[in-house]
Amino acid sequence: MRWLVVIASLLLPAPLRAESRGTGDLGIVVERADGAVQIVETSSMTTLARVDGLGDLSHAAAVFSRDGRYAFVFGRDGGLSKIDLLDQRVADRIVQAGNSIGGAISSDGRLVAVANYEPGGVKVFDTATLGLVVDIRSTEIGEGKRAKVVGLEDTGGDRFAFSLYDTGDIWTVDLADPAVPVIQRFFDVGDQPYDALVMPDGHYYLAGLFGEDGIVLLDLWDPKARPRRILDGYGRGEEPLPVYKMPHLEGWAAAGDQVVLPAVGRYEVLIVDRRSWEETARIAVHGQPVFAVARPDGRQVWVNFAHPDNGVVQVIDLVTREIVETLEPGAAVLHMEFTPRGEQVWVSARDSNEVVVYDTETFEVLARLPARSPSGIFFTARANRIGY
Amino acid sequence: MRWLVVIASLLLPAPLRAESRGTGDLGIVVERADGAVQIVETSSMTTLARVDGLGDLSHAAAVFSRDGRYAFVFGRDGGLSKIDLLDQRVADRIVQAGNSIGGAISSDGRLVAVANYEPGGVKVFDTATLGLVVDIRSTEIGEGKRAKVVGLEDTGGDRFAFSLYDTGDIWTVDLADPAVPVIQRFFDVGDQPYDALVMPDGHYYLAGLFGEDGIVLLDLWDPKARPRRILDGYGRGEEPLPVYKMPHLEGWAAAGDQVVLPAVGRYEVLIVDRRSWEETARIAVHGQPVFAVARPDGRQVWVNFAHPDNGVVQVIDLVTREIVETLEPGAAVLHMEFTPRGEQVWVSARDSNEVVVYDTETFEVLARLPARSPSGIFFTARANRIGY
């Protein structure tokens, strides 16, 4: 019988020869120009496979199933693709809207929610089947259009929070019973919320404003709380500077008692006290910051920049608040992702067609992986966190 | 050819039919009386397999490879077992000392360190081969014996910290180059350190003292720092109460600005300010606390108790600082482990031969899993954290 086993294992076609490996060190790199993702692993720092046919992946983002096997990739064209990281293929794919901007996954891993511009709203799908579970329509704004949804975040349990760009709302939804969504709407909280984040503990939802200065904060743990304004000086100010790119709020780095955020337009990173939400310091940096991401231990913050300074990454030591390193990973650095314990950071250099992996203690380059116009990098450890 | 594939897949013996699944939702439950572990998964809340032959598992602990595939189980008898969670078998096993008490794994996943009582010291092994890499001998204390090592923790990168019970030392070791271990020794920092923990950011190492009241704190981010004393009132006090079981320091719950810790002997849980290290409040609880574990979002703390109150678990809401639930999972509750985003907690009830899974929002029992004298429960998400 053994000969049969040996022969068969040689004959087994690739899709049936299931990959058996842990998924804790896996991730994806978005190749935006090609509508593809690379599947990568961080233990040996290699590319395992390339999966294509994912549509328009400009500004694409991803979340992961709680077992780490599947990535759900949100494309700009409304595509929602479920990638099997072990079988290295598209397990399922739907086009669920005309234009969308990211999503989130529930703690139990059963619901994946997508933020849509067109038609405006949030659609929630069953992660097993990609069947539609809940369709939350945003407010109508005339001419048959509905408000664009931005800043969609999971906030613990089966709850999500998101913002409406056109009407300036923040909505929360609890899908503990998906048949009876419990939606809370806070109207007109600020002018043109354009992005948002949730603190790592799921306590606060913060929305950045494009139409005015300031940040809107909602305490998600207090059922009676209303959105309130903090950081009135955060924004372009009275004499606006040319802003090449609005900074990403995902980049807000919660590090111990402080929150670190990219200034808008200015060559600065701001430090805000996490208890009082008051600005406590500013650190001068190389250019207009886009992401300011904390190493998971909160000891360092890595910053990338808008054009024309987007070939540089700076590292701030948060204990001394000094820039300890200025790196040049390549042309057009778009994203940075830390391994969960922070010993490595992966940096995408779009126009160098390369992902560069750094040791975060020595700043040594550990690996360079060829990639076609790489943008977002997402590791499976995100499945373990709230607000990712 | 297809018939051959089909027949072969039926004929393939179990060990060759590799399990292909994500590892992000896996974990182990220690069955202490049998020298076995159950492999469990938290998505459907089931037991997948049982692996035995692991020796004396009283007070056993485990860490995980960074890909989530392997558990390294530290037995009381000096056994170090590498369990393949996918193939559901012992991949490798050594008996590396006569008596040991837990261990830790480096961020890059290459080194697993074990704290030994007999002979006293720390042995560090290659996770791929279980070959000895470094043997750190603790201080000789006469009669051919060396000090017992306790409180061994990874502290980021390739660094570890541990304490010497008999001589009252804290040592740190940096194994960036394993051929040249860089060891720093702080002598006589307190009487009989018996357990320790590292804050989730790897910033502070805290050792509890058996021989006197107080806690020793070492700032791991400041190379010039010396261990200093905090919480002088923490301990049994001047008129010692009978202490059935010293509380576990692992149970210290870092939640936002506060740290929650079980009192020693008293029916109380203490709240300590994380900036000043001063005690700010006490919460009365049902019995002598053993573990006080924060849900990952820091909003709740779950507490179990020493005999004779060990059939009860209480839940403290950290916002209101009130006990919101008193549960009776079963007889002799030994351990509690949260899923990484905190929607479930798994509780081992040794004398009920059961693991009980709760929904942490509704306190509903989601599942009961039969287990033989279950003690420690460990999920693969620990691989993503510092100090676990």
Side-chain angles (χ1 to χ4, degrees):
Chain A
M1 198 169 77
R2 182 164 293 274
W3 63 270
L4 196 58
V5 171
V6 171
I7 290 175
S9 73
L10 295 173
L11 294 177
L12 276 173
L16 283 183
R17 206 187 295 148
E19 177 81 6
S20 181
R21 57 160 295 143
T23 52
D25 58 350
L26 298 184
I28 62 167
V29 174
V30 174
E31 296 188 314
R32 58 187 280 161
D34 290 4
V37 299
Q38 282 190 13
I39 300 172
V40 297
E41 58 81 28
T42 65
S43 294
S44 308
M45 295 170 284
T46 61
T47 297
L48 299 174
R50 191 160 185 276
V51 177
D52 56 19
L54 307 180
D56 179 359
L57 294 188
S58 52
H59 216 283
V63 297
F64 294 90
S65 62
R66 69 199 297 290
D67 65 358
R69 177 170 189 160
Y70 299 101
F72 297 89
V73 179
F74 310 104
R76 193 55 187 263
D77 55 0
L80 170 60
S81 306
K82 180 177 176 179
I83 313 286
D84 186 331
L85 303 179
L86 291 176
D87 286 351
Q88 305 177 342
R89 64 184 179 89
V90 180
D92 204 351
R93 175 172 160 78
I94 57 174
V95 176
Q96 54 81 44
N99 189 336
S100 59
I101 187 81
I105 192 165
S106 61
S107 294
D108 62 13
R110 284 181 202 158
L111 302 172
V112 60
V114 192
N116 290 324
Y117 279 8
E118 180 50 48
V122 171
K123 284 189 182 169
V124 183
F125 300 91
D126 182 318
T127 51
T129 62
L130 295 194
L132 183 66
V133 177
V134 185
D135 183 0
I136 302 168
R137 289 151 185 262
S138 64
T139 309
E140 291 190 11
I141 54 170
E143 296 176 7
K145 286 180 178 275
R146 300 201 308 260
K148 290 193 273 292
V149 170
V150 297
L152 170 62
E153 306 286 344
D154 66 277
T155 63
D158 300 299
R159 295 181 300 276
F160 300 92
F162 53 93
S163 299
L164 275 56
Y165 178 82
D166 305 281
T167 52
D169 298 357
I170 292 176
W171 293 13
T172 65
V173 56
D174 189 333
L175 296 173
D177 178 357
V180 188
V182 179
I183 301 176
Q184 197 170 11
R185 297 173 178 84
F186 301 101
F187 298 110
D188 200 18
V189 301
D191 195 19
Q192 295 174 319
Y194 75 99
D195 195 8
L197 86 161
V198 169
M199 285 285 126
D201 56 6
H203 192 161
Y204 298 105
Y205 177 84
L206 298 103
L209 300 173
F210 188 78
E212 58 183 314
D213 288 354
I215 293 284
V216 184
L217 176 146
L218 177 61
D219 182 342
L220 297 167
W221 289 5
D222 178 357
K224 285 180 236 143
R226 316 265 323 158
R228 65 188 176 89
R229 296 294 282 271
I230 57 169
L231 294 171
D232 281 335
Y234 185 72
R236 285 168 292 180
E238 291 170 9
E239 293 183 66
L241 298 162
V243 178
Y244 181 81
K245 186 169 171 52
M246 289 297 279
H248 274 264
L249 296 199
E250 188 215 329
W252 283 35
D257 302 320
Q258 42 199 357
V259 177
V260 182
L261 49 148
V264 180
R266 290 180 181 73
Y267 289 21
E268 288 169 343
V269 160
L270 313 182
I271 296 187
V272 170
D273 183 282
R274 204 169 163 173
R275 296 190 192 193
S276 67
W277 299 106
E278 301 281 344
E279 183 186 315
T280 55
R282 294 182 174 224
I283 299 169
V285 291
H286 176 77
Q288 288 188 2
V290 176
F291 282 106
V293 192
R295 197 170 71 171
D297 66 357
R299 190 170 178 179
Q300 292 176 350
V301 168
W302 289 56
V303 187
N304 74 334
F305 304 99
H307 182 84
D309 299 311
N310 55 359
V312 167
V313 165
Q314 287 191 310
V315 184
I316 300 169
D317 179 319
L318 268 193
V319 178
T320 62
R321 295 185 174 175
E322 281 168 6
I323 290 167
V324 290
E325 198 72 26
T326 297
L327 302 164
E328 297 186 22
V333 170
L334 292 192
H335 201 218
M336 301 168 288
E337 175 91 340
F338 288 92
T339 50
R341 281 162 74 178
E343 77 282 5
Q344 299 170 12
V345 64
W346 289 47
V347 178
S348 57
R350 185 191 61 200
D351 296 348
S352 298
N353 291 302
E354 222 172 34
V355 171
V356 186
V357 184
Y358 288 96
D359 180 313
T360 64
E361 295 200 6
T362 62
F363 306 112
E364 187 191 340
V365 173
L366 299 174
R368 290 181 184 274
L369 288 77
R372 301 184 205 164
S373 300
S375 57
I377 306 173
F378 306 93
F379 294 151
T380 54
R382 286 176 175 248
N384 293 334
R385 300 196 205 123
I386 295 168
Y388 270 83
Chain B
M1 199 169 75
R2 182 164 293 275
W3 64 268
L4 196 59
V5 171
V6 172
I7 290 175
S9 73
L10 295 174
L11 293 177
L12 276 173
L16 281 183
R17 205 186 295 148
E19 177 81 6
S20 180
R21 56 160 296 143
T23 52
D25 59 349
L26 298 184
I28 62 167
V29 173
V30 173
E31 297 187 312
R32 58 188 280 160
D34 291 5
V37 299
Q38 283 190 11
I39 299 173
V40 296
E41 58 80 28
T42 65
S43 294
S44 309
M45 296 170 282
T46 61
T47 298
L48 298 174
R50 193 161 185 276
V51 176
D52 57 18
L54 307 180
D56 180 359
L57 294 188
S58 51
H59 216 284
V63 297
F64 294 90
S65 63
R66 70 200 295 291
D67 65 358
R69 176 168 190 163
Y70 299 101
F72 296 89
V73 179
F74 309 103
R76 192 55 186 262
D77 56 0
L80 170 59
S81 305
K82 179 178 176 178
I83 313 286
D84 185 331
L85 302 180
L86 290 176
D87 287 349
Q88 305 177 343
R89 64 184 180 89
V90 179
D92 204 351
R93 174 172 160 79
I94 57 173
V95 176
Q96 54 81 44
N99 190 335
S100 58
I101 188 81
I105 192 164
S106 61
S107 294
D108 63 12
R110 284 181 203 157
L111 302 172
V112 59
V114 193
N116 289 326
Y117 278 9
E118 180 52 46
V122 171
K123 285 190 181 167
V124 183
F125 300 91
D126 183 317
T127 51
T129 63
L130 296 193
L132 184 66
V133 177
V134 185
D135 183 1
I136 302 168
R137 289 150 184 261
S138 64
T139 309
E140 291 190 10
I141 53 171
E143 297 177 4
K145 286 180 177 275
R146 301 201 307 259
K148 290 193 273 289
V149 171
V150 297
L152 171 62
E153 306 286 344
D154 65 278
T155 63
D158 301 298
R159 295 180 300 276
F160 300 93
F162 53 92
S163 299
L164 276 54
Y165 178 82
D166 305 282
T167 52
D169 297 358
I170 292 175
W171 292 14
T172 64
V173 57
D174 188 333
L175 296 173
D177 179 356
V180 189
V182 179
I183 300 176
Q184 197 170 10
R185 298 173 178 83
F186 302 101
F187 298 110
D188 201 18
V189 301
D191 195 19
Q192 294 174 318
Y194 75 100
D195 195 7
L197 87 162
V198 169
M199 286 285 127
D201 56 5
H203 192 162
Y204 297 104
Y205 178 84
L206 297 103
L209 300 172
F210 189 77
E212 59 183 313
D213 289 353
I215 294 284
V216 184
L217 176 146
L218 177 61
D219 182 341
L220 297 167
W221 289 5
D222 178 359
K224 285 179 236 143
R226 315 267 322 158
R228 65 187 176 91
R229 297 294 283 271
I230 58 168
L231 293 172
D232 282 334
Y234 185 72
R236 285 168 293 181
E238 290 170 8
E239 293 184 64
L241 299 162
V243 177
Y244 181 82
K245 185 168 171 50
M246 290 297 278
H248 274 264
L249 295 200
E250 189 214 329
W252 284 35
D257 301 321
Q258 40 200 359
V259 177
V260 182
L261 49 149
V264 179
R266 291 179 181 75
Y267 288 22
E268 288 169 343
V269 161
L270 313 181
I271 297 186
V272 170
D273 183 282
R274 204 169 165 175
R275 296 189 190 193
S276 65
W277 298 107
E278 300 282 344
E279 183 185 315
T280 56
R282 293 182 174 225
I283 298 168
V285 290
H286 175 77
Q288 288 188 1
V290 176
F291 282 106
V293 192
R295 196 169 70 170
D297 66 358
R299 190 169 179 180
Q300 294 176 349
V301 169
W302 289 56
V303 187
N304 73 334
F305 303 98
H307 181 85
D309 299 310
N310 56 358
V312 167
V313 166
Q314 288 190 310
V315 184
I316 300 169
D317 179 319
L318 267 191
V319 178
T320 61
R321 294 185 175 175
E322 281 169 5
I323 290 167
V324 289
E325 198 72 26
T326 298
L327 301 164
E328 297 187 22
V333 171
L334 292 190
H335 200 219
M336 300 169 289
E337 177 90 341
F338 288 93
T339 50
R341 281 164 73 178
E343 76 283 4
Q344 300 169 10
V345 64
W346 289 46
V347 179
S348 58
R350 184 191 61 201
D351 296 349
S352 298
N353 292 302
E354 223 172 35
V355 171
V356 186
V357 184
Y358 288 96
D359 180 313
T360 64
E361 295 201 6
T362 62
F363 306 112
E364 186 192 339
V365 173
L366 298 174
R368 291 180 183 274
L369 288 77
R372 303 184 204 162
S373 300
S375 56
I377 305 172
F378 306 93
F379 294 152
T380 53
R382 287 177 174 246
N384 293 334
R385 299 195 205 124
I386 295 168
Y388 270 83

